[in-house]
Amino acid sequence: MVQDFFTNLPTEITTDILSRLSIRSYAISKSVCKAWLNLLDSDDFDKSKLKTPPALVRFNFTKRNSTRCTIFEIEDEDEADLESHDRHYNRLTDLEIPHRNITSMECVAANGLLLLYSPSPQYIPHVCNLITREYTELSYPEDYIPYRLLQLGFGVSKISGQYKVVWINPETGSDFHCVYTLGTGTWRRVQAGAASGFQFCGHPILCNDNLHWQVLLYDSTNFIWAFCGFDVETECFSIFPFPFPMGDGSGYLSVLRDYLCYSCYAHDDEIVNGEIVIWMMKEYLVVESWTIEYKISINELDLSFCRRYVFVEAIKLFRDGDVLMLVDRSILVYYSNKTRTLQQFDKYQDADAKVYNTAVIFYPSLLSLKNFGFENVISL
């Protein structure tokens, strides 16, 4: 009989070896034999240390009144030697979430956990792990007024490791918002501080331990657009300005390779089609470091861009400079930095879908929601 020396290794060495696996390889390893299954499922193995490549989760509404989630693992190695990224998307899983006839869904990722909510008050916010197929429903803050639109954020602190949900008070000029720390079961008020009087717009993104929104302030003569940051650790708000001439708030914030980015559609009324412009903040919170990284013509795309506003969100920047973008929250578009061309990405199209809603990059994790003490963890 061949002896399995792997199971006789010290726990710390075994953990170090297995922590180098991807989520897909980890799942395959559990199927090798019963001994490996017991080892990988044991409490001695810290699943949080698994090294995972980023994944793309695609949400769309189906004809069966549910939201379908399709998850693809993205490999980003040595792309400069590849003709196409198309072959490097590994399908991990599909699952469906009842959506109770809501019209849209927002998703905010914090490491391997996601916050799902709808601006519509008919949908109770969920924190979920799509890999472990777990979710839990959150309560509303005491200050929430029924049937008011929801604006939420979700982040994790690298210092304390705490995951926090931020509820933005929709009242104009509000001087407080609320925070829910996973594991505590309660909401707490936090002062708006520098963000007092600002209206929050769009969904937030997490960069450098801070959540970020576009915000708008009305004064007696005009509208003032700015960015708002919320430090997940200190729970303080800050405001920093748009660099001129970034735009009028019709673009989207995102994170590309740990840099805060802003994508927008620049259109000239005298021409039919415009161009996609992607700004990148090279030094965090240094306004002067905003730099235009891409100006991408869309003339070759048949997307009917014959209008003033088109919403563009850059969601993934590859090592060779290629960019994956979401246009109008429905169309995945791929830009080749080598050929300087755009093409519509049909890999994720679903014949059963009625409406394509959003796409989000996250890092898969096997962290269980039960670790936070939730009593109402539900399996998808």
Side-chain angles (χ1 to χ4, degrees), residues 276-320:
I276 294 171
V277 179
I278 301 177
W279 296 71
M280 182 176 290
M281 181 178 267
K282 295 298 185 67
E283 296 182 51
Y284 185 66
L285 293 187
V286 177
V287 177
E288 294 77 15
S289 71
W290 279 110
T291 305
I292 295 178
E293 288 294 301
Y294 293 91
K295 284 189 174 183
I296 305 171
S297 172
I298 62 170
N299 292 329
E300 66 269 26
L301 282 181
D302 184 19
L303 295 176
S304 303
F305 281 137
C306 301
R307 60 187 191 276
R308 180 66 177 85
Y309 293 106
V310 174
F311 297 101
V312 179
E313 182 180 5
I315 59 177
K316 170 67 178 176
L317 174 61
F318 294 89
R319 294 182 183 178
D320 59 1

mmCIF file of all heavy atoms in Angstrom, residues 276-320:
data_model
loop_
_atom_site.group_PDB
_atom_site.id
_atom_site.type_symbol
_atom_site.label_atom_id
_atom_site.label_comp_id
_atom_site.label_asym_id
_atom_site.label_seq_id
_atom_site.Cartn_x
_atom_site.Cartn_y
_atom_site.Cartn_z
ATOM 1 N N ILE A 276 -14.994 56.986 -24.649
ATOM 2 C CA ILE A 276 -14.933 56.604 -23.240
ATOM 3 C C ILE A 276 -13.630 57.160 -22.665
ATOM 4 O O ILE A 276 -12.557 56.954 -23.229
ATOM 5 C CB ILE A 276 -14.978 55.079 -23.087
ATOM 6 C CG1 ILE A 276 -16.344 54.543 -23.547
ATOM 7 C CG2 ILE A 276 -14.708 54.673 -21.644
ATOM 8 C CD1 ILE A 276 -16.402 53.040 -23.637
ATOM 9 N N VAL A 277 -13.735 57.857 -21.538
ATOM 10 C CA VAL A 277 -12.567 58.436 -20.882
ATOM 11 C C VAL A 277 -12.430 57.794 -19.501
ATOM 12 O O VAL A 277 -13.396 57.742 -18.739
ATOM 13 C CB VAL A 277 -12.687 59.962 -20.745
ATOM 14 C CG1 VAL A 277 -11.453 60.529 -20.042
ATOM 15 C CG2 VAL A 277 -12.870 60.611 -22.108
ATOM 16 N N ILE A 278 -11.241 57.278 -19.197
ATOM 17 C CA ILE A 278 -10.983 56.659 -17.895
ATOM 18 C C ILE A 278 -9.875 57.432 -17.195
ATOM 19 O O ILE A 278 -8.752 57.522 -17.693
ATOM 20 C CB ILE A 278 -10.582 55.181 -18.036
ATOM 21 C CG1 ILE A 278 -11.688 54.386 -18.746
ATOM 22 C CG2 ILE A 278 -10.290 54.567 -16.667
ATOM 23 C CD1 ILE A 278 -11.337 52.926 -18.984
ATOM 24 N N TRP A 279 -10.231 58.006 -16.030
ATOM 25 C CA TRP A 279 -9.271 58.711 -15.196
ATOM 26 C C TRP A 279 -8.755 57.767 -14.114
ATOM 27 O O TRP A 279 -9.470 56.882 -13.650
ATOM 28 C CB TRP A 279 -9.931 59.897 -14.505
ATOM 29 C CG TRP A 279 -10.439 60.990 -15.397
ATOM 30 C CD1 TRP A 279 -11.525 60.939 -16.234
ATOM 31 C CD2 TRP A 279 -9.909 62.306 -15.525
ATOM 32 N NE1 TRP A 279 -11.700 62.142 -16.860
ATOM 33 C CE2 TRP A 279 -10.724 63.009 -16.449
ATOM 34 C CE3 TRP A 279 -8.835 62.970 -14.928
ATOM 35 C CZ2 TRP A 279 -10.491 64.335 -16.793
ATOM 36 C CZ3 TRP A 279 -8.593 64.292 -15.269
ATOM 37 C CH2 TRP A 279 -9.411 64.961 -16.197
ATOM 38 N N MET A 280 -7.526 57.977 -13.678
ATOM 39 C CA MET A 280 -6.950 57.180 -12.604
ATOM 40 C C MET A 280 -6.246 58.101 -11.601
ATOM 41 O O MET A 280 -5.474 58.982 -11.988
ATOM 42 C CB MET A 280 -5.956 56.157 -13.158
ATOM 43 C CG MET A 280 -5.328 55.248 -12.103
ATOM 44 S SD MET A 280 -4.245 53.977 -12.832
ATOM 45 C CE MET A 280 -5.453 52.917 -13.625
ATOM 46 N N MET A 281 -6.512 57.889 -10.314
ATOM 47 C CA MET A 281 -5.856 58.667 -9.262
ATOM 48 C C MET A 281 -4.571 57.947 -8.879
ATOM 49 O O MET A 281 -4.585 56.937 -8.178
ATOM 50 C CB MET A 281 -6.775 58.821 -8.048
ATOM 51 C CG MET A 281 -6.181 59.628 -6.909
ATOM 52 S SD MET A 281 -7.305 59.843 -5.494
ATOM 53 C CE MET A 281 -8.085 61.397 -5.901
ATOM 54 N N LYS A 282 -3.419 58.458 -9.337
ATOM 55 C CA LYS A 282 -2.137 57.784 -9.159
ATOM 56 C C LYS A 282 -1.647 57.803 -7.713
ATOM 57 O O LYS A 282 -0.914 56.910 -7.282
ATOM 58 C CB LYS A 282 -1.088 58.423 -10.076
ATOM 59 C CG LYS A 282 -1.390 58.241 -11.561
ATOM 60 C CD LYS A 282 -1.401 56.763 -11.933
ATOM 61 C CE LYS A 282 -1.573 56.541 -13.415
ATOM 62 N NZ LYS A 282 -0.447 57.007 -14.217
ATOM 63 N N GLU A 283 -2.029 58.837 -6.947
ATOM 64 C CA GLU A 283 -1.705 58.912 -5.527
ATOM 65 C C GLU A 283 -3.002 59.127 -4.774
ATOM 66 O O GLU A 283 -3.728 60.094 -5.042
ATOM 67 C CB GLU A 283 -0.722 60.052 -5.234
ATOM 68 C CG GLU A 283 0.643 59.887 -5.874
ATOM 69 C CD GLU A 283 1.581 61.019 -5.496
ATOM 70 O OE1 GLU A 283 1.699 61.291 -4.279
ATOM 71 O OE2 GLU A 283 2.166 61.628 -6.405
ATOM 72 N N TYR A 284 -3.286 58.238 -3.847
ATOM 73 C CA TYR A 284 -4.576 58.250 -3.189
ATOM 74 C C TYR A 284 -4.836 59.580 -2.473
ATOM 75 O O TYR A 284 -3.994 60.069 -1.701
ATOM 76 C CB TYR A 284 -4.675 57.093 -2.180
ATOM 77 C CG TYR A 284 -6.032 56.977 -1.540
ATOM 78 C CD1 TYR A 284 -7.155 56.644 -2.286
ATOM 79 C CD2 TYR A 284 -6.188 57.237 -0.183
ATOM 80 C CE1 TYR A 284 -8.403 56.554 -1.703
ATOM 81 C CE2 TYR A 284 -7.433 57.135 0.419
ATOM 82 C CZ TYR A 284 -8.538 56.804 -0.348
ATOM 83 O OH TYR A 284 -9.771 56.718 0.231
ATOM 84 N N LEU A 285 -5.989 60.175 -2.776
ATOM 85 C CA LEU A 285 -6.478 61.433 -2.212
ATOM 86 C C LEU A 285 -5.626 62.643 -2.578
ATOM 87 O O LEU A 285 -5.773 63.713 -1.984
ATOM 88 C CB LEU A 285 -6.630 61.339 -0.687
ATOM 89 C CG LEU A 285 -7.726 60.385 -0.185
ATOM 90 C CD1 LEU A 285 -7.886 60.528 1.319
ATOM 91 C CD2 LEU A 285 -9.043 60.610 -0.892
ATOM 92 N N VAL A 286 -4.734 62.492 -3.544
ATOM 93 C CA VAL A 286 -4.005 63.644 -4.087
ATOM 94 C C VAL A 286 -4.715 64.041 -5.379
ATOM 95 O O VAL A 286 -4.576 63.391 -6.417
ATOM 96 C CB VAL A 286 -2.526 63.298 -4.375
ATOM 97 C CG1 VAL A 286 -1.817 64.501 -5.002
ATOM 98 C CG2 VAL A 286 -1.834 62.871 -3.091
ATOM 99 N N VAL A 287 -5.513 65.104 -5.299
ATOM 100 C CA VAL A 287 -6.368 65.494 -6.421
ATOM 101 C C VAL A 287 -5.553 65.770 -7.681
ATOM 102 O O VAL A 287 -5.965 65.448 -8.802
ATOM 103 C CB VAL A 287 -7.212 66.725 -6.030
ATOM 104 C CG1 VAL A 287 -8.053 67.197 -7.216
ATOM 105 C CG2 VAL A 287 -8.106 66.395 -4.837
ATOM 106 N N GLU A 288 -4.365 66.339 -7.501
ATOM 107 C CA GLU A 288 -3.531 66.676 -8.653
ATOM 108 C C GLU A 288 -3.014 65.430 -9.386
ATOM 109 O O GLU A 288 -2.500 65.533 -10.500
ATOM 110 C CB GLU A 288 -2.334 67.533 -8.219
ATOM 111 C CG GLU A 288 -2.711 68.916 -7.698
ATOM 112 C CD GLU A 288 -3.257 68.862 -6.272
ATOM 113 O OE1 GLU A 288 -3.079 67.808 -5.598
ATOM 114 O OE2 GLU A 288 -3.851 69.859 -5.830
ATOM 115 N N SER A 289 -3.155 64.247 -8.762
ATOM 116 C CA SER A 289 -2.636 63.029 -9.395
ATOM 117 C C SER A 289 -3.636 62.370 -10.335
ATOM 118 O O SER A 289 -3.327 61.360 -10.961
ATOM 119 C CB SER A 289 -2.197 62.028 -8.324
ATOM 120 O OG SER A 289 -3.310 61.473 -7.646
ATOM 121 N N TRP A 290 -4.869 62.939 -10.439
ATOM 122 C CA TRP A 290 -5.826 62.399 -11.410
ATOM 123 C C TRP A 290 -5.244 62.521 -12.814
ATOM 124 O O TRP A 290 -4.813 63.589 -13.229
ATOM 125 C CB TRP A 290 -7.149 63.155 -11.353
ATOM 126 C CG TRP A 290 -8.087 62.750 -10.266
ATOM 127 C CD1 TRP A 290 -8.422 63.480 -9.158
ATOM 128 C CD2 TRP A 290 -8.862 61.549 -10.180
ATOM 129 N NE1 TRP A 290 -9.335 62.808 -8.388
ATOM 130 C CE2 TRP A 290 -9.636 61.611 -8.995
ATOM 131 C CE3 TRP A 290 -8.973 60.411 -10.988
ATOM 132 C CZ2 TRP A 290 -10.493 60.599 -8.608
ATOM 133 C CZ3 TRP A 290 -9.833 59.398 -10.594
ATOM 134 C CH2 TRP A 290 -10.583 59.489 -9.428
ATOM 135 N N THR A 291 -5.219 61.402 -13.528
ATOM 136 C CA THR A 291 -4.618 61.352 -14.863
ATOM 137 C C THR A 291 -5.538 60.602 -15.814
ATOM 138 O O THR A 291 -6.118 59.580 -15.440
ATOM 139 C CB THR A 291 -3.254 60.638 -14.828
ATOM 140 O OG1 THR A 291 -2.418 61.270 -13.864
ATOM 141 C CG2 THR A 291 -2.583 60.664 -16.191
ATOM 142 N N ILE A 292 -5.669 61.101 -17.024
ATOM 143 C CA ILE A 292 -6.438 60.371 -18.035
ATOM 144 C C ILE A 292 -5.580 59.227 -18.564
ATOM 145 O O ILE A 292 -4.540 59.446 -19.188
ATOM 146 C CB ILE A 292 -6.867 61.289 -19.189
ATOM 147 C CG1 ILE A 292 -7.848 62.359 -18.686
ATOM 148 C CG2 ILE A 292 -7.510 60.471 -20.311
ATOM 149 C CD1 ILE A 292 -8.292 63.339 -19.752
ATOM 150 N N GLU A 293 -6.013 57.990 -18.312
ATOM 151 C CA GLU A 293 -5.283 56.811 -18.741
ATOM 152 C C GLU A 293 -5.754 56.303 -20.099
ATOM 153 O O GLU A 293 -4.978 55.727 -20.858
ATOM 154 C CB GLU A 293 -5.434 55.691 -17.711
ATOM 155 C CG GLU A 293 -4.684 55.916 -16.418
ATOM 156 C CD GLU A 293 -3.173 55.917 -16.630
ATOM 157 O OE1 GLU A 293 -2.633 54.914 -17.120
ATOM 158 O OE2 GLU A 293 -2.547 56.944 -16.294
ATOM 159 N N TYR A 294 -7.032 56.482 -20.390
ATOM 160 C CA TYR A 294 -7.588 55.978 -21.646
ATOM 161 C C TYR A 294 -8.552 56.991 -22.239
ATOM 162 O O TYR A 294 -9.342 57.619 -21.523
ATOM 163 C CB TYR A 294 -8.350 54.668 -21.426
ATOM 164 C CG TYR A 294 -7.499 53.493 -21.024
ATOM 165 C CD1 TYR A 294 -7.264 53.219 -19.677
ATOM 166 C CD2 TYR A 294 -6.937 52.642 -21.971
ATOM 167 C CE1 TYR A 294 -6.488 52.140 -19.292
ATOM 168 C CE2 TYR A 294 -6.157 51.559 -21.601
ATOM 169 C CZ TYR A 294 -5.939 51.309 -20.256
ATOM 170 O OH TYR A 294 -5.163 50.239 -19.884
ATOM 171 N N LYS A 295 -8.478 57.131 -23.563
ATOM 172 C CA LYS A 295 -9.503 57.778 -24.369
ATOM 173 C C LYS A 295 -9.831 56.800 -25.479
ATOM 174 O O LYS A 295 -9.023 56.566 -26.375
ATOM 175 C CB LYS A 295 -9.021 59.120 -24.934
ATOM 176 C CG LYS A 295 -8.996 60.254 -23.939
ATOM 177 C CD LYS A 295 -8.722 61.585 -24.630
ATOM 178 C CE LYS A 295 -8.847 62.750 -23.656
ATOM 179 N NZ LYS A 295 -8.642 64.058 -24.349
ATOM 180 N N ILE A 296 -11.027 56.212 -25.400
ATOM 181 C CA ILE A 296 -11.364 55.095 -26.269
ATOM 182 C C ILE A 296 -12.528 55.471 -27.168
ATOM 183 O O ILE A 296 -13.638 55.756 -26.697
ATOM 184 C CB ILE A 296 -11.744 53.854 -25.428
ATOM 185 C CG1 ILE A 296 -10.607 53.517 -24.453
ATOM 186 C CG2 ILE A 296 -12.068 52.674 -26.327
ATOM 187 C CD1 ILE A 296 -10.985 52.457 -23.436
ATOM 188 N N SER A 297 -12.299 55.476 -28.463
ATOM 189 C CA SER A 297 -13.360 55.761 -29.425
ATOM 190 C C SER A 297 -14.322 54.580 -29.487
ATOM 191 O O SER A 297 -13.907 53.416 -29.416
ATOM 192 C CB SER A 297 -12.766 56.013 -30.814
ATOM 193 O OG SER A 297 -13.792 56.099 -31.785
ATOM 194 N N ILE A 298 -15.609 54.872 -29.615
ATOM 195 C CA ILE A 298 -16.600 53.804 -29.694
ATOM 196 C C ILE A 298 -17.239 53.729 -31.082
ATOM 197 O O ILE A 298 -18.262 53.079 -31.268
ATOM 198 C CB ILE A 298 -17.700 53.993 -28.635
ATOM 199 C CG1 ILE A 298 -18.448 55.300 -28.892
ATOM 200 C CG2 ILE A 298 -17.118 53.964 -27.226
ATOM 201 C CD1 ILE A 298 -19.696 55.440 -28.042
ATOM 202 N N ASN A 299 -16.615 54.355 -32.070
ATOM 203 C CA ASN A 299 -17.203 54.403 -33.403
ATOM 204 C C ASN A 299 -17.424 53.025 -34.009
ATOM 205 O O ASN A 299 -18.349 52.817 -34.788
ATOM 206 C CB ASN A 299 -16.312 55.225 -34.340
ATOM 207 C CG ASN A 299 -16.309 56.694 -33.965
ATOM 208 O OD1 ASN A 299 -17.298 57.203 -33.450
ATOM 209 N ND2 ASN A 299 -15.199 57.363 -34.199
ATOM 210 N N GLU A 300 -16.547 52.046 -33.660
ATOM 211 C CA GLU A 300 -16.663 50.726 -34.282
ATOM 212 C C GLU A 300 -17.715 49.844 -33.627
ATOM 213 O O GLU A 300 -18.014 48.758 -34.102
ATOM 214 C CB GLU A 300 -15.315 49.998 -34.259
ATOM 215 C CG GLU A 300 -14.803 49.625 -32.875
ATOM 216 C CD GLU A 300 -13.920 50.687 -32.269
ATOM 217 O OE1 GLU A 300 -14.088 51.859 -32.661
ATOM 218 O OE2 GLU A 300 -13.085 50.375 -31.419
ATOM 219 N N LEU A 301 -18.294 50.303 -32.502
ATOM 220 C CA LEU A 301 -19.308 49.497 -31.825
ATOM 221 C C LEU A 301 -20.706 49.861 -32.304
ATOM 222 O O LEU A 301 -21.036 51.038 -32.441
ATOM 223 C CB LEU A 301 -19.243 49.719 -30.314
ATOM 224 C CG LEU A 301 -18.136 49.000 -29.547
ATOM 225 C CD1 LEU A 301 -18.256 49.336 -28.072
ATOM 226 C CD2 LEU A 301 -18.190 47.507 -29.743
ATOM 227 N N ASP A 302 -21.513 48.856 -32.554
ATOM 228 C CA ASP A 302 -22.899 49.072 -32.945
ATOM 229 C C ASP A 302 -23.767 49.018 -31.704
ATOM 230 O O ASP A 302 -24.524 48.076 -31.475
ATOM 231 C CB ASP A 302 -23.350 48.011 -33.955
ATOM 232 C CG ASP A 302 -24.770 48.263 -34.448
ATOM 233 O OD1 ASP A 302 -25.232 49.403 -34.307
ATOM 234 O OD2 ASP A 302 -25.392 47.314 -34.965
ATOM 235 N N LEU A 303 -23.657 50.053 -30.863
ATOM 236 C CA LEU A 303 -24.382 50.083 -29.598
ATOM 237 C C LEU A 303 -25.386 51.225 -29.527
ATOM 238 O O LEU A 303 -25.930 51.519 -28.468
ATOM 239 C CB LEU A 303 -23.394 50.195 -28.430
ATOM 240 C CG LEU A 303 -22.453 49.007 -28.240
ATOM 241 C CD1 LEU A 303 -21.480 49.294 -27.117
ATOM 242 C CD2 LEU A 303 -23.229 47.743 -27.936
ATOM 243 N N SER A 304 -25.609 51.894 -30.671
ATOM 244 C CA SER A 304 -26.601 52.964 -30.746
ATOM 245 C C SER A 304 -26.337 54.073 -29.730
ATOM 246 O O SER A 304 -27.216 54.484 -28.973
ATOM 247 C CB SER A 304 -28.013 52.393 -30.556
ATOM 248 O OG SER A 304 -28.276 51.400 -31.504
ATOM 249 N N PHE A 305 -25.094 54.560 -29.720
ATOM 250 C CA PHE A 305 -24.717 55.606 -28.768
ATOM 251 C C PHE A 305 -25.068 57.004 -29.281
ATOM 252 O O PHE A 305 -24.302 57.935 -29.121
ATOM 253 C CB PHE A 305 -23.211 55.557 -28.513
ATOM 254 C CG PHE A 305 -22.806 54.485 -27.555
ATOM 255 C CD1 PHE A 305 -21.698 53.706 -27.809
ATOM 256 C CD2 PHE A 305 -23.519 54.259 -26.408
ATOM 257 C CE1 PHE A 305 -21.305 52.721 -26.931
ATOM 258 C CE2 PHE A 305 -23.137 53.275 -25.523
ATOM 259 C CZ PHE A 305 -22.037 52.504 -25.783
ATOM 260 N N CYS A 306 -26.188 57.146 -29.896
ATOM 261 C CA CYS A 306 -26.552 58.434 -30.461
ATOM 262 C C CYS A 306 -27.378 59.234 -29.454
ATOM 263 O O CYS A 306 -28.538 59.593 -29.696
ATOM 264 C CB CYS A 306 -27.318 58.243 -31.770
ATOM 265 S SG CYS A 306 -26.402 57.335 -33.023
ATOM 266 N N ARG A 307 -26.805 59.483 -28.276
ATOM 267 C CA ARG A 307 -27.499 60.248 -27.266
ATOM 268 C C ARG A 307 -26.471 60.928 -26.367
ATOM 269 O O ARG A 307 -25.280 60.658 -26.450
ATOM 270 C CB ARG A 307 -28.435 59.357 -26.454
ATOM 271 C CG ARG A 307 -27.774 58.212 -25.716
ATOM 272 C CD ARG A 307 -28.859 57.310 -25.108
ATOM 273 N NE ARG A 307 -28.336 56.336 -24.186
ATOM 274 C CZ ARG A 307 -27.838 55.163 -24.546
ATOM 275 N NH1 ARG A 307 -27.778 54.843 -25.823
ATOM 276 N NH2 ARG A 307 -27.405 54.315 -23.642
ATOM 277 N N ARG A 308 -26.974 61.783 -25.489
ATOM 278 C CA ARG A 308 -26.077 62.629 -24.698
ATOM 279 C C ARG A 308 -25.407 61.869 -23.568
ATOM 280 O O ARG A 308 -24.235 62.071 -23.295
ATOM 281 C CB ARG A 308 -26.893 63.803 -24.134
ATOM 282 C CG ARG A 308 -26.069 64.774 -23.293
ATOM 283 C CD ARG A 308 -25.040 65.508 -24.130
ATOM 284 N NE ARG A 308 -24.302 66.474 -23.354
ATOM 285 C CZ ARG A 308 -23.234 66.197 -22.636
ATOM 286 N NH1 ARG A 308 -22.787 64.953 -22.572
ATOM 287 N NH2 ARG A 308 -22.606 67.139 -21.975
ATOM 288 N N TYR A 309 -26.150 60.960 -22.884
ATOM 289 C CA TYR A 309 -25.603 60.292 -21.707
ATOM 290 C C TYR A 309 -25.510 58.780 -21.924
ATOM 291 O O TYR A 309 -26.484 58.141 -22.294
ATOM 292 C CB TYR A 309 -26.455 60.576 -20.469
ATOM 293 C CG TYR A 309 -26.410 62.016 -20.026
ATOM 294 C CD1 TYR A 309 -27.492 62.859 -20.242
ATOM 295 C CD2 TYR A 309 -25.272 62.531 -19.405
ATOM 296 C CE1 TYR A 309 -27.446 64.187 -19.840
ATOM 297 C CE2 TYR A 309 -25.227 63.849 -19.000
ATOM 298 C CZ TYR A 309 -26.312 64.676 -19.222
ATOM 299 O OH TYR A 309 -26.253 65.985 -18.829
ATOM 300 N N VAL A 310 -24.342 58.241 -21.685
ATOM 301 C CA VAL A 310 -24.105 56.800 -21.685
ATOM 302 C C VAL A 310 -23.305 56.497 -20.424
ATOM 303 O O VAL A 310 -22.310 57.163 -20.139
ATOM 304 C CB VAL A 310 -23.324 56.346 -22.937
ATOM 305 C CG1 VAL A 310 -22.983 54.875 -22.834
ATOM 306 C CG2 VAL A 310 -24.118 56.627 -24.197
ATOM 307 N N PHE A 311 -23.734 55.501 -19.659
ATOM 308 C CA PHE A 311 -23.069 55.199 -18.400
ATOM 309 C C PHE A 311 -22.042 54.093 -18.617
ATOM 310 O O PHE A 311 -22.366 53.016 -19.126
ATOM 311 C CB PHE A 311 -24.092 54.796 -17.344
ATOM 312 C CG PHE A 311 -25.054 55.905 -17.018
ATOM 313 C CD1 PHE A 311 -26.326 55.921 -17.546
ATOM 314 C CD2 PHE A 311 -24.651 56.951 -16.199
ATOM 315 C CE1 PHE A 311 -27.200 56.956 -17.259
ATOM 316 C CE2 PHE A 311 -25.515 57.994 -15.907
ATOM 317 C CZ PHE A 311 -26.796 57.994 -16.440
ATOM 318 N N VAL A 312 -20.792 54.376 -18.235
ATOM 319 C CA VAL A 312 -19.681 53.461 -18.457
ATOM 320 C C VAL A 312 -18.988 53.191 -17.134
ATOM 321 O O VAL A 312 -18.671 54.120 -16.381
ATOM 322 C CB VAL A 312 -18.657 54.042 -19.457
ATOM 323 C CG1 VAL A 312 -17.491 53.081 -19.650
ATOM 324 C CG2 VAL A 312 -19.324 54.350 -20.783
ATOM 325 N N GLU A 313 -18.745 51.912 -16.846
ATOM 326 C CA GLU A 313 -18.044 51.527 -15.623
ATOM 327 C C GLU A 313 -16.902 50.578 -15.967
ATOM 328 O O GLU A 313 -17.139 49.476 -16.474
ATOM 329 C CB GLU A 313 -19.018 50.848 -14.652
ATOM 330 C CG GLU A 313 -18.375 50.454 -13.332
ATOM 331 C CD GLU A 313 -19.363 49.791 -12.399
ATOM 332 O OE1 GLU A 313 -20.519 49.559 -12.805
ATOM 333 O OE2 GLU A 313 -18.962 49.493 -11.251
ATOM 334 N N ALA A 314 -15.662 51.001 -15.739
ATOM 335 C CA ALA A 314 -14.506 50.122 -15.943
ATOM 336 C C ALA A 314 -14.420 49.175 -14.755
ATOM 337 O O ALA A 314 -14.334 49.624 -13.605
ATOM 338 C CB ALA A 314 -13.230 50.943 -16.068
ATOM 339 N N ILE A 315 -14.428 47.861 -15.007
ATOM 340 C CA ILE A 315 -14.500 46.918 -13.889
ATOM 341 C C ILE A 315 -13.267 46.035 -13.750
ATOM 342 O O ILE A 315 -13.057 45.431 -12.707
ATOM 343 C CB ILE A 315 -15.758 46.035 -13.978
ATOM 344 C CG1 ILE A 315 -15.780 45.234 -15.275
ATOM 345 C CG2 ILE A 315 -17.013 46.862 -13.840
ATOM 346 C CD1 ILE A 315 -16.959 44.298 -15.376
ATOM 347 N N LYS A 316 -12.431 45.943 -14.784
ATOM 348 C CA LYS A 316 -11.240 45.107 -14.666
ATOM 349 C C LYS A 316 -10.152 45.605 -15.609
ATOM 350 O O LYS A 316 -10.380 45.773 -16.803
ATOM 351 C CB LYS A 316 -11.587 43.642 -15.005
ATOM 352 C CG LYS A 316 -10.397 42.703 -15.146
ATOM 353 C CD LYS A 316 -9.652 42.483 -13.824
ATOM 354 C CE LYS A 316 -8.504 41.500 -13.986
ATOM 355 N NZ LYS A 316 -7.719 41.353 -12.740
ATOM 356 N N LEU A 317 -8.949 45.870 -15.059
ATOM 357 C CA LEU A 317 -7.783 46.256 -15.842
ATOM 358 C C LEU A 317 -6.778 45.110 -15.805
ATOM 359 O O LEU A 317 -6.322 44.710 -14.736
ATOM 360 C CB LEU A 317 -7.147 47.524 -15.267
ATOM 361 C CG LEU A 317 -5.829 47.985 -15.896
ATOM 362 C CD1 LEU A 317 -6.003 48.316 -17.378
ATOM 363 C CD2 LEU A 317 -5.259 49.186 -15.142
ATOM 364 N N PHE A 318 -6.446 44.560 -16.986
ATOM 365 C CA PHE A 318 -5.507 43.449 -17.064
ATOM 366 C C PHE A 318 -4.070 43.959 -17.114
ATOM 367 O O PHE A 318 -3.811 45.138 -17.368
ATOM 368 C CB PHE A 318 -5.809 42.586 -18.293
ATOM 369 C CG PHE A 318 -7.134 41.877 -18.217
ATOM 370 C CD1 PHE A 318 -8.289 42.465 -18.690
ATOM 371 C CD2 PHE A 318 -7.220 40.617 -17.642
ATOM 372 C CE1 PHE A 318 -9.509 41.815 -18.611
ATOM 373 C CE2 PHE A 318 -8.434 39.959 -17.550
ATOM 374 C CZ PHE A 318 -9.587 40.561 -18.044
ATOM 375 N N ARG A 319 -3.141 43.054 -16.887
ATOM 376 C CA ARG A 319 -1.732 43.446 -16.798
ATOM 377 C C ARG A 319 -1.189 44.016 -18.098
ATOM 378 O O ARG A 319 -0.238 44.787 -18.095
ATOM 379 C CB ARG A 319 -0.892 42.240 -16.365
ATOM 380 C CG ARG A 319 -1.199 41.783 -14.948
ATOM 381 C CD ARG A 319 -0.337 40.623 -14.518
ATOM 382 N NE ARG A 319 -0.706 40.157 -13.185
ATOM 383 C CZ ARG A 319 -0.143 39.132 -12.571
ATOM 384 N NH1 ARG A 319 0.827 38.465 -13.181
ATOM 385 N NH2 ARG A 319 -0.528 38.780 -11.361
ATOM 386 N N ASP A 320 -1.762 43.604 -19.224
ATOM 387 C CA ASP A 320 -1.267 44.119 -20.509
ATOM 388 C C ASP A 320 -2.006 45.374 -20.944
ATOM 389 O O ASP A 320 -1.829 45.846 -22.060
ATOM 390 C CB ASP A 320 -1.374 43.045 -21.590
ATOM 391 C CG ASP A 320 -2.793 42.559 -21.805
ATOM 392 O OD1 ASP A 320 -3.699 43.069 -21.124
ATOM 393 O OD2 ASP A 320 -3.000 41.674 -22.661
#
